[in-house]
Amino acid sequence: MTDGIVIRDAAEQDFDLWYNLWTQYNAFYGREGATALSEEITLTTWQRFLSPQTPVHCLVAQQGGRLRGLAHYVFHLNTIMIDDTCYLQDLFTEPSSRGGGLGRNLITEVFERARQAEIHSVYWHTHASNETAMRLYDQVAMDTSFTVYRKSLDTSAD
C-alpha cells in the first residue's frame, strides 16, 4: 500500500465500479459505440474473474474509498518454457489518477501474484501511441520490440 492505495482482488460487489473503469478502458482503445464489446463478453469476463476454476484474474486499485484502476491477468501454458507464464492483458487507471502510482502498484502486484504461483515471466503489450504508459513500462520491464498481429476468424467480421 502506497499513499492510501490498496491493491486487491475484485469482489462481486465491485461490479458497477469495475464496469465504469472497464468501459473507459475499452473506449481508450476505440471499443465503444458500434465497436463496443457485447454485454455478453463483459458479463462473461466478470464471471471468469470471480470463478476460482479459471486462470483469468482481476485486481483493482482502490484509493480514497473508490476504485481507480484495474489489472486483468491470465496464467497460461506456453511453448518456450516448461513453466506457465503470465499475460497482463489489461491495465487501466482513471485519467485523473495517473502519475500517482496506481499503475505501478497494479503491475507490481501482478508480478507478486505470478511469483506466488511459481511463474517466472510476465508479459504484456500496448498500442504504440500509448506513450504515457510506455514511460512506466520502460521502468519496470524490457521492451521486446515484438509487434502483435491479429486476424479475426469470425466470418461476419470480414
Side-chain angles (χ1 to χ4, degrees), residues 46-113:
W46 178 253
Q47 289 305 312
R48 286 176 178 162
F49 296 146
L50 300 177
S51 171
Q53 283 77 40
T54 66
V56 182
H57 308 278
C58 176
L59 295 172
V60 292
Q62 188 172 352
Q63 187 177 40
R66 289 188 37 220
L67 294 190
R68 299 182 184 273
L70 59 78
H72 304 148
Y73 61 101
V74 182
F75 295 151
H76 67 89
L77 299 171
N78 69 90
T79 62
I80 61 171
M81 62 184 79
I82 303 278
D83 298 325
D84 286 359
T85 192
C86 176
Y87 174 45
L88 172 55
Q89 187 163 7
D90 309 308
L91 179 71
F92 180 78
T93 61
E94 61 183 11
S96 64
S97 298
R98 292 189 183 144
L102 290 172
R104 180 182 297 273
N105 280 275
L106 283 162
I107 292 169
T108 299
E109 186 61 23
V110 171
F111 292 167
E112 183 55 32
R113 299 295 176 95

